[in-house]
Amino acid sequence: MKEISFKNDILPLGDKLYRLALRITCNKQEAEDVVQDTLIKLWEGREKLKEVDNLTVYAMTVCRNQALDHNAKHENKNISLEDSGVDGFDNQHMPDERLIYNQRYEIINELINRMPEKQRTVIQLRDIEGRNYQEISLMMNISLADVKVTLFRARQQLKEQLKKQKNGL
Amino acid sequence: MDYKYIEQLLERYWQCETTLEEEQILHSFFKQHDVPEHLQQYADLFSYESEAAQECLSDDFKQRMLDMVDEEPAVEAKTIKFVSRITPLFKAAAVVAIALTIGNVAERTMQDNSVGDNAGAPSIADTYTRTEDITATIHIIDRNQSESMAKADTVQVDDITRR
């Protein structure tokens, strides 16, 4: 395979890695740290990348491991879900419709982030990133059956929560 | 409007029986504004998912990463330089090798020629085996030359007297 370029091969994966890291750490700053570590790690091991079949799958695997390590180190900080999710919105100067939309966005984000890491990662990879089961099983280093069971539980939980919300409103 | 197809897809979605393409259809469906009341509760989920897929790193972060890694290509360039630094040496060695080979071949050919003489093979030297022959020939050439020169002289003198 050709030489790996940071600008053309590795950096473009950054957004995907960031979304995954954000889902696992539930914090923008920490997600950025994880992505930075992941990109540097990929770059330093670029000789090895030449033999990798699917660079995206490999990068996502490295990123998830970095994010899990990060979570383990910062466990105390992560217990609180108050800081989670999208924190960059300036709600005071937002048109009503946009505000309501963002509140709904927040609610769903919270629903997913409250799930166990394995479930929210599966939802992230399948429903947000649109990856197939085979890739997800490689990225998460679990069996295909495990991917499907985990996804099933996660979707069922979301369905229940959405129903509850509808009845509550 | 009939939403049977979407309802069916949704049912299979919850059972994790939908393909990626079918899930894409669901996302597109819920992106539109006029979602029927009884499906509205799921619209948020699907539009959230579509939206979340757009989340990306700031340009600032990307620039920082590029700056951070900026040093690295120099190291890579050095490796290439090292190889290219050696190439002229290979070239020089190749030139020397070619010169030596040609020299060697030439020397051998010359040696072969002298060996041929000793073996009595016919050569230009054989034409003039006797010294008398050679001297005779030289005399003839000499005479011819002086004759033609003398002729030229007379012609010249004639030319001058005519004028």
Side-chain angles (χ1 to χ4, degrees):
Chain A
M1 206 188 128
K2 63 179 175 66
E3 282 295 315
I4 298 282
S5 143
F6 183 78
K7 196 179 173 185
N8 301 324
D9 299 318
I10 297 180
L11 192 58
L13 299 172
D15 291 335
K16 279 190 201 84
L17 301 180
Y18 174 64
R19 292 192 289 266
L20 176 64
L22 188 58
R23 185 62 66 204
I24 297 173
T25 63
C26 300
N27 178 294
K28 282 192 167 188
Q29 187 53 53
E30 286 175 31
E32 282 196 357
D33 290 347
V34 167
V35 172
Q36 182 175 318
D37 292 349
T38 306
L39 293 178
I40 296 286
K41 197 170 178 181
L42 289 171
W43 178 241
E44 282 172 352
R46 61 188 172 282
E47 284 307 313
K48 228 177 14 184
L49 295 186
K50 289 182 197 169
E51 285 133 44
V52 168
D53 286 338
N54 189 329
L55 189 58
T56 306
V57 169
Y58 182 80
M60 297 286 260
T61 311
V62 173
C63 182
R64 178 165 182 256
N65 291 336
Q66 291 279 326
L68 291 178
D69 281 356
H70 198 92
N71 271 6
K73 274 183 210 155
H74 298 78
E75 220 167 17
N76 303 336
K77 278 191 207 166
N78 255 5
I79 287 170
S80 154
L81 277 167
E82 300 296 314
D83 313 328
S84 68
V86 187
D87 48 19
F89 286 117
D90 181 4
N91 286 344
Q92 281 174 342
H93 305 288
M94 194 109 28
D96 282 353
E97 202 182 312
R98 183 79 191 148
L99 179 63
I100 290 165
Y101 180 76
N102 282 329
Q103 280 173 346
R104 298 207 306 234
Y105 184 103
E106 262 318 289
I107 290 166
I108 307 284
N109 200 39
E110 278 281 318
L111 284 182
I112 297 175
N113 284 354
R114 237 183 264 149
M115 294 177 183
E117 184 277 326
K118 203 167 151 188
Q119 285 184 20
R120 61 179 195 258
T121 299
V122 168
I123 286 282
Q124 176 71 27
L125 294 176
R126 176 72 184 191
D127 288 343
I128 296 172
E129 299 298 335
R131 315 305 305 201
N132 65 40
Y133 292 137
Q134 183 66 42
E135 287 172 324
I136 297 171
S137 116
L138 289 170
M139 285 172 186
M140 297 181 70
N141 197 21
I142 57 178
S143 70
L144 266 179
D146 202 356
V147 172
K148 285 183 190 171
V149 168
T150 310
L151 184 66
F152 178 79
R153 287 188 188 140
R155 281 182 181 170
Q156 288 301 318
Q157 206 183 323
L158 278 173
K159 189 185 174 191
E160 287 308 309
Q161 293 290 334
L162 290 170
K163 266 188 185 165
K164 254 191 216 167
Q165 273 194 359
K166 194 198 176 195
N167 295 335
L169 283 172
Chain B
M1 206 177 148
D2 193 9
Y3 294 105
K4 271 234 167 73
Y5 176 60
I6 293 296
E7 284 162 18
Q8 246 176 24
L9 275 188
L10 255 182
E11 207 39 59
R12 288 177 49 228
Y13 170 81
W14 299 121
Q15 298 301 316
C16 297
E17 287 164 359
T18 39
T19 64
L20 278 174
E21 289 74 25
E22 287 169 333
E23 286 164 23
Q24 199 50 55
I25 293 170
L26 283 173
H27 277 109
S28 308
F29 172 79
F30 283 109
K31 238 183 238 173
Q32 55 172 11
H33 286 291
D34 48 345
V35 175
E37 183 61 31
H38 69 291
L39 296 175
Q40 191 62 53
Q41 52 182 323
Y42 306 123
D44 285 351
L45 173 65
F46 285 97
S47 53
Y48 163 81
E49 285 173 352
S50 304
E51 185 94 348
Q54 305 301 316
E55 187 108 24
C56 57
L57 288 161
S58 63
D59 291 341
D60 195 43
F61 178 90
K62 287 177 184 172
Q63 192 51 52
R64 243 188 304 145
M65 286 307 302
L66 281 173
D67 292 344
M68 217 182 262
V69 174
D70 203 36
E71 303 296 309
E72 302 290 324
V75 177
E76 203 180 16
K78 263 181 201 162
T79 356
I80 297 161
K81 255 187 199 164
F82 178 64
V83 176
S84 53
R85 208 183 291 160
I86 279 180
T87 357
L89 289 179
F90 279 119
K91 279 182 190 164
V95 168
V96 170
I98 289 167
L100 285 176
T101 319
I102 289 172
N104 219 3
V105 168
E107 210 180 311
R108 269 201 201 163
T109 329
M110 272 150 78
Q111 273 171 6
D112 282 352
N113 277 349
S114 47
V115 168
D117 279 353
N118 292 343
S123 71
I124 303 166
D126 287 344
T127 324
Y128 305 103
T129 34
R130 278 174 303 174
T131 9
E132 302 100 81
D133 278 356
I134 300 169
T135 13
T137 325
I138 290 171
H139 276 307
I140 292 161
I141 296 169
D142 224 32
R143 209 184 307 144
N144 285 347
Q145 220 165 19
S146 42
E147 266 173 20
S148 58
M149 272 165 83
K151 250 185 209 167
D153 280 348
T154 26
V155 170
Q156 247 179 353
V157 172
D158 282 354
D159 270 2
I160 293 163
T161 42
R162 257 179 226 166
R163 273 180 207 168

